[in-house]
Amino acid sequence: NVPEDQADKLLLANWGLPKAVLEKYHSLGVVQMFEWQAECLMLRQVLEGKNLVYSAPTSAGKTLVAELLILKRVLETRKKALLILPFVSVAKEKKCYLQ
């Protein structure tokens, strides 16, 4: 569980994301994460660039965790990222969304 003193980490606005990114998420109705998502993102090793393996049911929010990790990493390191998706339709959707 997310400690009470870190409950503000559930809010996307508290992750240092650019305003345009926050506005896009907000327009889609995404203002905060689930506790399990924040727990994944708060792991020290993950924040240091180590690998993360997590499992959740379909539509549970796995993609949001991946997107936030990619965005934070790209913004912090100014390096490129590679996002591999399972279907062309999903890839096209994400391309439009991430642009």
Side-chain angles (χ1 to χ4, degrees), residues 8-43:
D8 62 329
K9 286 293 187 180
L10 296 178
L11 298 173
L12 291 183
N14 294 332
W15 281 86
L17 299 170
K19 184 178 178 182
V21 172
L22 289 174
E23 287 173 355
K24 180 65 175 180
Y25 279 121
H26 289 177
S27 74
L28 297 170
V30 181
V31 176
Q32 70 179 36
M33 295 178 270
F34 295 117
E35 282 188 27
W36 75 265
Q37 292 169 315
E39 286 174 16
C40 286
L41 295 171
M42 287 190 294
L43 293 171

Side-chain angles (χ1 to χ4, degrees), residues 52-73:
L52 172 67
V53 177
Y54 56 101
S55 176
T58 300
S59 297
K62 297 181 295 288
T63 302
L64 180 62
V65 173
E67 288 175 6
L68 292 176
L69 282 173
I70 289 170
L71 284 167
K72 283 196 64 62
R73 197 77 175 147

